[in-house]
Amino acid sequence: MQIHGHSSIDKKHPISLYSSKQLYAMEQAWFSEGHDSFGLMQQAAWQMAKHIEQLYEKKYLNHHSSASVNFSHRHNHQYRVSIWVGKGNNGGDGWLIAYYLKQAGWQVQIVTVGFEDSDFSNSDSDQVNSDKSDTTAISNSKSSITDAQKALQVARSANCKYERFEDSQNDLRSTALQADVYIDALFGIGLDRTPEGIYKQAIRAFNELTEQNNGLAIAVDIPSGVVASTGEVFDRIAIKADATLCLIARKFGLHTKDGVDYSGQVTDIPLIPYQVDNVAFEPVAKLITTGQAFSPRRQNSYKGSYGHVLVIGGNRIDGSQGMGGAAILSASSSMAAGAGKITVACHEAFHGALLTSLPDAMTINLHDAQGVQHLIKAASVVAIGMGLGRDDKAQALFVNYIQAAMTAKKPIVIDADGLYHLASLQLKNDKLISQLREYSTDNEVCLTPHSGEAAKLLNKKIHEIESDRLSAIKLCAQTYGGNWVLKGAGSLVLERGLDQEQVYVCGVGNAGMATAGMGDVLSGVIAGLLAQQDLEPEMRSLHQAVIIHGLAGDILVSQTNQYNSGKSDRGHLLIGQRGLQAQDMPVAIRHVMQLLVDS
Ligand SMILES: NC(=O)C1=CN([C@@H]2O[C@H](COP(=O)(O)OP(=O)(O)OC[C@H]3O[C@@H](n4cnc5c(N)ncnc54)[C@H](O)[C@@H]3O)[C@@H](O)[C@H]2O)[C@@H](O)CC1
Ligand SMILES: Nc1ncnc2c1ncn2[C@@H]1O[C@H](COP(=O)(O)OP(=O)(O)O)[C@@H](O)[C@H]1O
Ligand SMILES: [K+]
């Protein structure tokens, strides 16, 4: 997975993301305007061939070639490419890439997967005389054959060598399979089920070969095995690409869930001017990698100008060890994100520990219902649920405090055990659920489940959530109202505006953050931003909080930021993904807040 270095925050615009259904609709819209589908495939392949050449030169010759590559035969060393094609149009792209790279002087070997001998002999009957081998002649040939078959003919007529994977699979060391660059054109956006049998073997062999030969693995459109609309990879069977050449428009699945691990560096090849204003092509989500710049604070201000966060959590059920850390992490992250004041309502057993690590905080006993309700009225934001406990007593507190927060019209952040209680209340048809949904139409309510919590909230299995995270977050919002984060690699954020909802995919963060307490940190950042009413709505938004959290995690493990001298300005040693702890986050959050002011 790519880790971003952030010595300053780069200012990339959000990237629109689409489902495969939308991609097919865009193509169809283009064809219905009279454009030729094989012509589009030729364009796609030609442009990909140029990018492949550039990627090759970047890796092996260690330089960036100019935008327009001068395709010429190489005298000293022939570039070797192994192109793996399936039977759909993704394979069609592969055949044509073979044709163009061969023209450019590459040594081309095609490996077909799932083809019968008859697939080649059938096309022999339509074969265009190789003397006249050009793509135009073939594109004008029999229209009854598919674009992929035409592409196959083009490559064959140019004498590109090919062999069936089925015939060579037992000998991965065969020289025919040795190459510098491996192109994955097995499946594109049409993949809709687990690759099995020969396909599974081919994907495994492709990955093994690229690794053994230290080859460059480049995926056409999307790594085969990744589902374009969801980012799911079935049974971990997918091409592990160093680079993906993404055709027409950016696929949602490249950036969330498993897709993040398989896509490598993604390059867009837009090809057609799809109508962005057309409702049919409204992106399903936007990929964000950077936050909004913060304005400097007014000099004439005081702690009250930046809000008062009340964290409610950190309980100890009789006889248990307790969960004070959750509230402490959330509170310290709130302050790191800039909240003016913080009070923690936690079990008294943790007051000492809290004050030792965060002397800036005020404390109150979680079970002092009157006192906490009083504080809810005084707070700017209420964040509830982190380590609150799941027993009946904790649920009674949860209901009581949520009611108080709604009466006092406070923004509410609900996480962890708070979500557990919501799920139980929903099953019991409790009136709190409809009250909260109603409340969320005019007031800020943020809910932040991971897949396990979302499964409980929707009364589904975790794999059902994971197989379609986009639908899951939408269903959460429909059922409970409010703004949502569905946490995990490529966290999804759903925010409801006045008349429409917007989904974001968080393009920062890393697997080092898969440790206990990181969610508590996120709830703190969300509350800390919401508390600062001097900020514009966009800067206090949920997606801003998720980005700050992810950037902070990346900064801690990055190889390229100021921490990599071995020591940070605060004397901490560089931290890696393994061993990153939630308690490391507040210092990095402060750093990101500063970078965003500077940017
Ligand atoms: N139509 C066009 O002109 C263009 C198409 N493009 C390419 O076309 C691709 C989409 O083509 P297709 O719709 O043919 O889709 P694919 O090339 O992804 O292939 C889909 C075929 O594979 C089968 N399949 C799906 N999952 C399978 C599995 N697990 N095991 C075995 N078979 C499986 C499907 O039933 C279908 O027959 C894009 O990703 C892109 O690469 C681009 O060339 C742009 C232009
Ligand atoms: N692989 C990952 N890539 C990016 N972010 C991650 C990854 N794993 C975890 N995170 C982030 O870390 C946080 C973990 O939250 P959560 O699972 O609720 O932890 P906890 O409940 O222990 O506090 C979430 O914001 C999540 O998106
Ligand atoms: K592919």
Side-chain angles (χ1 to χ4, degrees), residues 224-239:
S224 300
V226 178
V227 180
S229 297
T230 63
E232 186 171 27
V233 164
F234 306 112
D235 300 337
R236 298 195 173 196
I237 306 162
I239 295 294

Side-chain angles (χ1 to χ4, degrees), residues 484-529:
W484 288 76
V485 183
L486 181 52
K487 295 183 287 195
S491 285
L492 301 185
V493 180
L494 184 151
E495 280 170 324
R496 304 173 121 193
L498 282 181
D499 52 0
Q500 62 177 25
E501 63 188 26
Q502 176 64 56
V503 179
Y504 297 95
V505 177
C506 175
V508 294
N510 64 80
M513 299 171 77
T515 52
M518 282 291 173
D520 307 319
V521 169
L522 177 65
S523 67
V525 176
I526 296 167
L529 290 186

Side-chain angles (χ1 to χ4, degrees), residues 90 184-187 220 222-224:
N90 196 257
D184 156 35
L186 293 171
F187 297 112
V220 170
I222 185 163
S224 300

Side-chain angles (χ1 to χ4, degrees), residues 509-555:
N510 64 80
M513 299 171 77
T515 52
M518 282 291 173
D520 307 319
V521 169
L522 177 65
S523 67
V525 176
I526 296 167
L529 290 186
L530 279 173
Q532 297 171 68
Q533 275 153 17
D534 65 310
L535 296 175
E536 296 292 324
E538 180 80 358
M539 295 169 207
R540 302 162 64 218
S541 66
L542 195 51
H543 66 271
Q544 173 89 336
V546 170
I547 281 286
I548 290 169
H549 181 250
L551 286 171
D554 283 355
I555 270 184

Side-chain angles (χ1 to χ4, degrees), residues 133-153:
S133 79
D134 72 41
T135 57
T136 324
I138 290 171
S139 74
N140 294 335
S141 72
K142 287 197 174 174
S143 57
S144 60
I145 64 172
T146 65
D147 289 340
Q149 286 167 329
K150 283 185 193 170
L152 179 156
Q153 289 186 12

Side-chain angles (χ1 to χ4, degrees), residues 323-518:
M323 293 162 295
I328 298 174
L329 287 166
S330 187
S332 39
S333 305
S334 273
M335 295 225 78
K341 266 199 301 189
I342 177 108
T343 300
V344 182
C346 65
H347 194 285
E348 279 183 322
F350 302 118
H351 286 191
L354 170 70
L355 294 176
T356 306
S357 63
L358 191 67
D360 338 45
M362 295 170 282
T363 54
I364 183 167
N365 180 359
L366 173 69
H367 296 274
D368 172 1
Q370 256 194 337
V372 174
Q373 281 171 0
H374 186 71
L375 269 169
I376 288 173
K377 282 190 205 148
S380 326
V381 184
V382 176
I384 184 164
M386 297 71 66
L388 183 64
R390 297 183 172 186
D391 65 340
D392 291 347
K393 232 159 123 186
Q395 183 166 115
L397 288 178
F398 175 75
V399 173
N400 185 344
Y401 295 153
I402 289 280
Q403 294 282 13
M406 290 195 294
T407 306
K409 300 243 172 267
K410 301 299 172 181
I412 307 172
V413 181
I414 306 177
D415 186 33
D417 294 338
L419 298 169
Y420 176 89
H421 293 308
L422 270 192
S424 320
L425 294 166
Q426 156 77 3
L427 281 180
K428 289 192 263 178
N429 243 333
D430 193 284
K431 64 178 188 313
L432 187 87
I433 301 298
S434 54
Q435 287 170 341
L436 193 65
R437 194 172 48 228
E438 176 65 26
Y439 179 75
S440 73
T441 55
D442 292 328
N443 298 276
E444 191 79 44
V445 180
C446 298
L447 306 103
T448 57
H450 51 60
S451 295
E453 287 157 346
K456 254 203 145 3
L457 285 159
L458 296 176
N459 199 15
K460 287 180 182 244
K461 302 260 180 298
I462 294 180
H463 74 84
E464 293 176 273
I465 304 297
E466 280 292 287
S467 63
D468 190 353
R469 286 164 55 82
L470 186 59
S471 299
I473 195 171
K474 289 187 168 189
L475 191 55
C476 282
Q478 267 168 31
T479 312
Y480 295 92
N483 295 327
W484 288 76
V485 183
L486 181 52
K487 295 183 287 195
S491 285
L492 301 185
V493 180
L494 184 151
E495 280 170 324
R496 304 173 121 193
L498 282 181
D499 52 0
Q500 62 177 25
E501 63 188 26
Q502 176 64 56
V503 179
Y504 297 95
V505 177
C506 175
V508 294
N510 64 80
M513 299 171 77
T515 52
M518 282 291 173

